[in-house]
Amino acid sequence: MKRTKVVDALQSTDFGKDINVKGWVRSHRSSKAVDFIALNDGSTIKNIQIVVDPATMDADALKSITTGACISVVGTLVESQGKGQASEIQSKEIEIYGLCPNDYPMQKKGQSFEYMRKYAHLRLRTNTFGAVFRIRHNMAIAIHKYFHEHGFYYFNTPLITASDAEGAGEMFQVTTLDLNRTGKDGEVAYDRDFFGKKTNLTVSGQLEGELGATALGAIYTFGPTFRAENSNTPRHLAEFWMIEPEVAFLDQEGLMDLEEDFIKYCVRWALDNCKDDLEFLNKMIDKTLLQTLESVVKEDFVRLPYTEGIKILEEAVKNGHKFEFPITGWGMDLSSEHERYLVEEHFKRPVIMTDYPSEIKAFYMKKNPDGKTMQGTDVLFPRIGEIIGGSVREESYDKLIGEIESRGMEKESYSWYLDTRKYGSCPHAGFGLGFERLILFVTGMQNIRDVIPFPRTPKNAEF
Ligand code: 4AD
Ligand code: MG
């Protein structure tokens, strides 16, 4: 008999028909007359109820079907007597695929997320992580759909590179050299390394993305990026996924319009396509989740120059607001606490912050005529802080090389990038969305380690 997925069985009204479902036992309740098994196969947050007449099965075998066990059930689809479910299955035959001994770490309900992180290989079978990863999949689909519908080409940039796209030096080195053997005078002989030079895992696909955009017009990347920053926060990963669109002939206004339209599309997609999972998370994780998602889709984002933002923060301090990290005035970098104050308390909606001081932003951003600020456009979100980092790019060869030199960066490793400014340079802009930060926002989860299946963070590369 062909297997029916639980999601389809629950929607079917073919009552009286025999079907076969397979999945993992979420719970098993027994009484004298009847057993109830809640079965889940990952196709939906909802379980299907299997009703077993103990007379139809060997008593020991039935008893051995505990939480976590994997079974296959043939039985009759019937209209459910219980409330909250449309259909259930009157079991005729159960085949046990895999028993689950009672030291199963996911057996107890209500374990902490910290506990479950130790069992990231098994936590996938819980309701919460099932919901999170179904939503994660849906967001990936939404992203590809948005860009495809808007004329962007999916463009794949390398993961191994010889340049630092952000110029911040937070890179994991890639080498086949024996680390126990250095060359003469302790110097590393990179000419003998696999690529004949020093290479690292990419921190961003942007620079190569710019090559794509200045040829194809509009591209986006969607892939893993790596940062060796020693940040142990609920919002940082050492390996995270980033979406980076890059567009020729786009100015700062257009860039902000794109950022806002894109992220609203993604959130709307979740509301339209992940209803059951979102309702579950709204009930179990964050009671304001659905309301927050709805309001982000509806409201216009505030567009706020950095200089104005600093004034608001200084005003807040004057009025007695206490920040953990002090407001030191114009030129300071904002921490997520400051970003969240602006978004959650001052404006009560998302903010696109613009025109940051040059010193605190990357070398490739276009300078404003004031010589002090540049055309960066970060999107700040409730609960998250920075969710998108973007900018108009400096298109002048001379200005760009000046910036690279004044920051003491290695000019040689950017020669190919500088060629875009040498040959037919054009105004262009783009941004990067942290995929896991988007998933954090959409699911209401608190820790970024809980929205990627196998998180990589300082001192942690398990699984
Ligand atoms: O602001 P960032 O560093 O910008 C760039 O990498 C640019 N090259 C993007 C571009 O203009 N094409 O990173 C972009 C986004 C951040 O806003 C944040 O959402 C996410 O990537 N991000 C991280 N997410 C998880 N863990 C980390 N360590 C992250 N660092 C950045
Ligand atoms: Mg940033």
Side-chain angles (χ1 to χ4, degrees):
M1 189 185 291
K2 200 166 161 266
R3 170 197 166 211
T4 304
K5 285 193 179 181
V6 169
V7 68
D8 298 324
L10 286 171
Q11 272 160 24
S12 171
T13 48
D14 264 345
F15 301 125
K17 202 180 143 207
D18 279 0
I19 61 167
N20 172 216
V21 293
K22 303 175 187 219
W24 294 269
V25 173
R26 284 288 205 263
S27 67
H28 181 175
R29 285 186 291 130
S30 312
S31 66
K32 266 217 183 87
V34 63
D35 279 41
F36 296 107
I37 295 173
L39 198 68
N40 188 284
D41 67 357
S43 60
T44 162
I45 185 87
K46 294 181 175 152
N47 304 326
I48 194 154
Q49 174 152 279
I50 314 293
V51 184
V52 192
D53 175 354
T56 62
M57 202 175 164
D58 172 74
D60 286 340
L62 180 58
K63 212 173 145 206
S64 76
I65 302 173
T66 53
T67 299
C70 185
I71 59 173
S72 170
V73 181
V74 174
T76 314
L77 190 74
V78 295
E79 205 160 354
S80 177
Q81 311 299 309
K83 58 175 190 317
Q85 58 220 18
S87 55
E88 58 188 32
I89 294 170
Q90 204 79 51
S91 167
K92 286 186 169 167
E93 199 184 338
I94 296 183
E95 184 185 346
I96 297 171
Y97 283 146
L99 291 175
C100 188
N102 62 13
D103 61 350
Y104 177 47
M106 296 294 119
Q107 197 168 39
K108 271 211 210 115
K109 281 199 173 137
Q111 297 281 16
S112 74
F113 289 126
E114 200 171 347
Y115 167 88
M116 285 200 268
R117 245 168 258 147
K118 286 194 219 129
Y119 302 97
H121 55 306
L122 297 172
R123 66 178 179 170
L124 306 172
R125 289 193 203 160
T126 63
N127 287 333
T128 301
F129 288 97
V132 166
F133 295 122
R134 275 186 297 272
I135 291 173
R136 188 179 163 110
H137 158 80
N138 266 282
M139 298 321 289
I141 297 297
I143 287 160
H144 283 298
K145 221 168 134 33
Y146 179 88
F147 287 123
H148 181 64
E149 284 168 5
H150 289 78
F152 288 64
Y153 299 106
Y154 180 35
F155 188 72
N156 301 123
T157 52
L159 299 190
I160 301 174
T161 70
S163 58
D164 179 355
E166 290 298 300
E170 293 167 329
M171 296 181 297
F172 291 102
Q173 203 177 327
V174 174
T175 182
T176 53
L177 289 175
D178 181 349
L179 294 179
N180 296 316
R181 285 179 53 203
T182 46
K184 265 192 251 123
D185 312 323
E187 235 168 67
V188 183
Y190 283 115
D191 54 340
R192 292 219 311 273
D193 203 351
F194 189 91
F195 295 106
K197 59 175 153 186
K198 193 172 175 184
T199 52
N200 51 270
L201 292 176
T202 192
V203 294
S204 154
Q206 180 195 320
L207 304 192
E208 292 90 349
E210 288 184 47
L211 307 184
T214 55
L216 299 166
I219 62 94
Y220 69 104
T221 71
F222 187 170
T225 43
F226 308 88
R227 298 210 181 163
E229 55 186 330
N230 201 1
S231 303
N232 248 314
T233 83
R235 277 175 282 280
H236 287 88
L237 290 164
E239 177 180 300
F240 65 98
W241 287 64
M242 187 152 54
I243 297 94
E244 296 188 277
E246 193 70 33
V247 190
F249 317 118
L250 193 67
D251 62 10
Q252 197 176 15
E253 261 326 285
L255 176 64
M256 289 190 280
D257 291 344
L258 177 65
E259 289 171 344
E260 186 168 342
D261 189 51
F262 165 66
I263 206 156
K264 282 180 169 169
Y265 179 97
C266 293
V267 176
R268 167 103 331 247
W269 181 273
L271 285 165
D272 290 346
N273 294 277
C274 308
K275 202 164 158 282
D276 292 346
D277 288 325
L278 286 178
E279 275 169 8
F280 172 83
L281 294 168
N282 191 74
K283 198 163 110 205
M284 305 301 289
I285 304 291
D286 176 358
K287 302 258 183 306
T288 64
L289 178 63
L290 287 169
Q291 183 197 325
T292 311
L293 298 184
E294 290 283 0
S295 71
V296 157
V297 171
K298 268 194 230 113
E299 281 162 354
D300 288 340
F301 294 4
V302 175
R303 299 184 179 189
L304 178 76
Y306 167 91
T307 305
E308 302 291 314
I310 292 294
K311 279 188 199 147
I312 294 169
L313 291 170
E314 284 174 334
E315 201 59 33
V317 173
K318 263 193 219 145
N319 294 331
H321 190 90
K322 296 256 182 305
F323 290 108
E324 189 187 336
F325 297 98
I327 306 297
T328 55
W330 201 92
M332 68 178 279
D333 206 352
L334 300 188
S335 64
S336 80
E337 164 198 28
H338 307 139
E339 295 167 341
R340 291 180 62 180
Y341 174 83
L342 292 171
V343 172
E344 291 168 16
E345 301 192 35
H346 190 82
F347 290 108
K348 300 194 167 47
R349 53 197 167 118
V351 169
I352 308 184
M353 188 170 263
T354 65
D355 304 286
Y356 288 84
S358 314
E359 284 80 43
I360 60 169
K361 287 290 179 187
F363 70 96
Y364 48 69
M365 295 191 184
K366 186 179 170 75
K367 270 220 170 101
N368 281 317
D370 67 9
K372 281 181 5 197
T373 59
M374 44 187 22
Q375 296 186 15
T377 57
D378 283 5
V379 180
L380 315 179
F381 252 42
R383 292 200 299 105
I384 308 295
E386 180 190 334
I387 195 163
I388 280 180
S391 78
V392 180
R393 317 307 187 187
E394 183 57 72
E395 82 252 29
S396 149
Y397 181 87
D398 292 334
K399 284 187 191 158
L400 188 57
I401 209 160
E403 198 63 38
I404 288 176
E405 278 171 350
S406 74
R407 288 177 187 236
M409 295 162 63
E410 274 175 51
K411 207 163 53 184
E412 300 68 41
S413 65
Y414 298 95
S415 63
W416 52 271
Y417 179 62
L418 287 160
D419 276 354
T420 52
R421 293 5 186 215
K422 201 158 150 191
Y423 306 114
S425 187
C426 79
H428 61 288
F431 68 81
L433 166 77
F435 191 45
E436 286 75 18
R437 295 211 184 157
L438 174 68
I439 309 301
L440 265 184
F441 177 72
V442 171
T443 58
M445 297 293 283
Q446 300 290 327
N447 194 310
I448 201 162
R449 293 165 180 80
D450 299 331
V451 297
I452 186 166
F454 306 104
R456 298 288 176 255
T457 49
K459 300 277 180 287
N460 175 37
E462 191 72 22
F463 314 111

